Amino acid sequence: MTATTKTATSKPAPPAQAVAADAHWSAKMARLRDRQLAETVFAICDDPDVRTRYQRAQRTLDLAQSYAKEHPDEPDAAVDATRAAVELDEAKTAYDQIAIPLTFRALPRRAYEELLKAHLPSDTESDEGREWDEAFPAELIAAASVDGMTATEAQELLDTWSLSEANAMFNAAFNIQHTTRADLGKG
């Protein structure tokens, strides 16, 4: 299942009241219609040394940049931050060569609601506290997959990976459905 990222193709005229309140309403509405759905990348890296090096390099750069910002008069701080950036680039290159990235995209609201409705738990599953049926995790992973993973392939991975890794993949596909990029302004 491919998720579309555009809304309606026809563009109704904005309400006169909205235009009066905001002369740029048409442009604002066009930007709202053209937004892309949120995406996340779930990466699997089977080499613990490469993964650890990359994670440490990220932390080292964060610390070095923070220290350099707090101590602008200390010349070694800037040098250390530069060195840390080079190490992170090298570690990321090694990580990218071995990691397997899976990209998941949020589904349009109605598509996600239909998927949930199609996978309601049975009475027994509901009594066990489940929110959906057994097929939902694989179906959601397939629906959210930008890479084209099928539900059969997703179920294979869910069945053969460790519980922790299977849950992590499902959580990546599930959590992107609940990610918001909106901020409530101060009134």
Side-chain angles (χ1 to χ4, degrees):
M1 177 177 183
T2 303
T4 57
T5 57
K6 303 277 185 203
T7 56
T9 56
S10 63
K11 296 182 180 182
Q17 185 180 9
V19 173
D22 183 350
H24 304 288
W25 177 251
S26 294
K28 188 181 289 186
M29 193 63 197
R31 287 181 61 203
L32 290 169
R33 284 186 178 112
D34 288 339
R35 291 181 67 234
Q36 300 295 307
L37 294 165
E39 290 186 356
T40 190
V41 175
F42 172 70
I44 299 105
C45 180
D46 289 330
D47 187 324
D49 295 333
V50 170
R51 187 176 60 251
T52 299
R53 177 183 174 208
Y54 178 53
Q55 292 168 341
R56 284 184 181 160
Q58 286 176 315
R59 284 191 304 271
T60 300
L61 178 60
D62 290 343
L63 291 170
Q65 287 177 331
S66 177
Y67 186 83
K69 186 177 180 180
E70 292 171 11
H71 301 89
D73 297 331
E74 193 168 322
D76 288 344
V79 171
D80 290 345
T82 302
R83 250 187 262 147
V86 169
E87 172 55 28
L88 177 59
D89 285 344
E90 293 171 359
K92 182 160 179 19
T93 298
Y95 181 86
D96 288 345
Q97 288 175 347
I98 197 166
I100 305 166
L102 298 174
T103 304
F104 297 108
R105 179 180 298 139
L107 302 172
R109 180 184 58 85
R110 287 197 173 128
Y112 182 63
E113 288 173 349
E114 288 173 16
L115 187 63
L116 285 169
K117 211 181 287 184
H119 294 284
L120 292 173
S122 67
D123 289 340
T124 304
E125 290 168 328
S126 186
D127 290 344
E128 293 172 353
R130 296 182 187 210
E131 297 179 49
W132 44 72
D133 70 11
E134 191 175 290
F136 177 74
E139 293 292 337
L140 175 62
I141 289 168
S145 174
V146 173
D147 303 306
M149 185 182 301
T150 67
T152 302
E153 292 166 331
Q155 190 62 58
E156 175 189 344
L157 298 178
L158 291 170
D159 290 344
T160 58
W161 284 3
S162 70
L163 178 62
S164 177
E165 289 176 339
N167 284 342
M169 180 174 62
F170 169 73
N171 287 336
F174 183 79
N175 290 340
I176 197 64
Q177 307 309 317
H178 303 275
T179 297
T180 183
R181 296 172 292 169
D183 296 317
L184 296 177
K186 296 182 180 180

